[in-house]
Every structure is written in C-alpha cells, then in structure tokens.
Amino acid sequence: DQYGPVREEAGKILEKSGLDTETPEFKKARANVARRVLEERSVGEVDTLTGLRNLRGFQRRVSEEIRRAKSEGHRLWLFILDANNLKVVNDTQGHGKGDELLKGIAEILGGKSKARDVVARIGGDEFAVLLTATNEDGVEKYWERMETYFKGIRVSVAAGVTEFRIGEEFDQAKERADESMYKAKEYQKEESGRPFAHLVRRYE
C-alpha cells in the first residue's frame, strides 16, 4: 500500500486530537490530513518541465519501495539514463527543441513503465527509473521495450542498471548505475553506427 506511510504520518499528526482511532470520524480526519500532506509534498517533488518526479520525490518513493521490498521479499533495480544529444539539440535547434526532447523521453518512461515503477527526472538530461518486483529477465524485457520507443523518436540514450540491494543507500546504487551508464556512452562513441540506445548492466 503506497499510501500507508502517508496515512501513518497523518495519524501521528492527529494523535493529540482526542479522537478515538477506531471511529469513522478519526478515519475521515486522517484521510483529509493525508490528502493535504500529499498535496503539499507534491508541490516540491514534481519536475515542472516533464511532470515526472524530481530527485527529492524519487528518493522518497525509493525509500517507500525499499520498505515494501523488505516486507515482501522482492528485488529492486535502478536505471540511470542520460540523453546524449541534448546539448547538440540545444545548440543547433534551440532550447525549445531540447525541452521537447526531454518531454519525449519523459513521456516514454512515464507512460511505458508499470504503474508501480518509480520514474523521475533527476537532473538536466538525466532520468532514473526504479523497477520493482522483477528479475533479470524482466529488466531485459523492460529495456527492449524502451529501446524501441527511443528509436521511434530518434533520441540517443545511454543507460546503466544495477540491482538496488536492500540495506544500502541510494547513492551507493546510483554510483554503480552511473558507472555503467558512462560505459554505455563510451560504447556509443566507439561504435561507428552509434546506436540510439545502449545499456550496460551490472548484475553482480
């Protein structure tokens, strides 16, 4: 239940209200407080250009999914993606076209990922996706779908993926995924065909 932590937070806020926690009145008040918490939080957790979560919103949702993974025993995977040709587009076609490119990537990642997966724009041309409750085969199939969509809009993307190990910090997993992404960039530079999308995987 992704809203569980927010309901729990709202319940703590209402602890001093004197309401019996088992009454309909308390549950209604808790729902109202939870809604306000979500509204206030969303203002600071959304990337205004793409409508995806920003880094702050992504890290909060990652924390929630880590708790869920611990209780349910499933695996998490962190993708870091970078739009290789954003600077070229900005320099040659203008920042408006660059914004369109970013929105196109966001639309693909946000629209083609599962509802439970966590998608964000975490930097200028950098995106992150947390895949939940899947295995290596699921990771491969996810990327195969993404490659097809990226080629469709002719955007050059490099990506790295690693398993998000339960108990580690976000920065640790991101460092491994970043390393893989940079290797993907080097591969694209070395290849004369320059594939539209390339992924380097770290499963160890």
Side-chain angles (χ1 to χ4, degrees):
D1 178 7
Q2 62 179 314
Y3 299 108
V6 180
R7 280 199 297 270
E8 182 179 345
E9 183 178 343
K12 290 179 179 179
I13 293 173
L14 289 170
E15 279 181 355
K16 297 180 180 180
S17 67
L19 291 173
D20 185 337
T21 59
E22 298 302 318
T23 63
E25 289 79 9
F26 177 84
K27 293 178 181 179
K28 182 177 180 180
R30 183 179 61 185
N32 288 335
V33 172
R35 185 175 64 254
R36 288 200 303 272
V37 168
L38 284 173
E39 289 172 351
E40 291 170 3
R41 182 174 288 163
S42 67
V43 173
E45 295 189 354
V46 174
D47 174 58
T48 55
L49 176 66
T50 64
L52 296 178
R53 290 180 176 84
N54 58 22
L55 178 60
R56 177 183 174 187
F58 184 73
Q59 289 179 306
R60 182 183 61 77
R61 284 286 290 111
V62 166
S63 297
E64 293 173 1
E65 288 300 332
I66 288 173
R67 288 195 292 270
R68 183 184 295 189
K70 286 179 179 178
S71 64
E72 297 180 2
H74 65 246
R75 301 166 76 180
L76 302 172
W77 305 87
L78 177 65
F79 273 86
I80 299 295
L81 304 94
D82 187 273
N84 292 320
N85 52 341
L86 178 62
K87 185 178 187 306
V88 173
V89 171
N90 282 336
D91 290 346
T92 61
Q93 302 180 50
H95 286 270
K97 285 292 184 181
D99 288 349
E100 288 180 19
L101 181 148
L102 292 172
K103 290 177 182 178
I105 295 173
E107 185 176 347
I108 289 172
L109 294 176
K112 304 303 181 181
S113 300
K114 294 184 297 185
R116 184 167 165 180
D117 295 334
V118 188
V119 182
R121 179 188 177 206
I122 61 174
D125 57 359
E126 193 172 44
F127 295 81
V129 180
L130 186 76
L131 296 188
T132 62
T134 192
N135 54 23
E136 287 95 336
D137 186 54
V139 171
E140 296 291 337
K141 289 179 179 177
Y142 175 82
W143 183 249
E144 288 173 3
R145 293 200 314 274
M146 294 301 110
E147 278 185 315
T148 301
Y149 296 124
F150 289 138
K151 289 176 182 177
I153 64 170
R154 299 184 65 82
V155 60
S156 177
V157 173
V161 63
T162 188
E163 183 168 5
F164 200 120
R165 300 161 189 161
I166 305 303
E168 72 178 343
E169 297 295 324
F170 170 76
D171 288 344
Q172 293 173 286
K174 186 176 184 299
E175 183 177 356
R176 289 197 307 278
D178 278 340
E179 288 174 0
S180 296
M181 181 187 68
Y182 294 133
K183 288 180 182 178
K185 282 180 174 290
E186 290 304 313
Y187 170 85
Q188 288 172 314
K189 289 178 182 177
E190 294 168 3
E191 288 293 305
S192 59
R194 294 206 174 190
F196 286 107
H198 186 68
L199 170 74
V200 171
R201 306 149 178 85
R202 283 191 62 172
Y203 291 156
E204 76 276 10

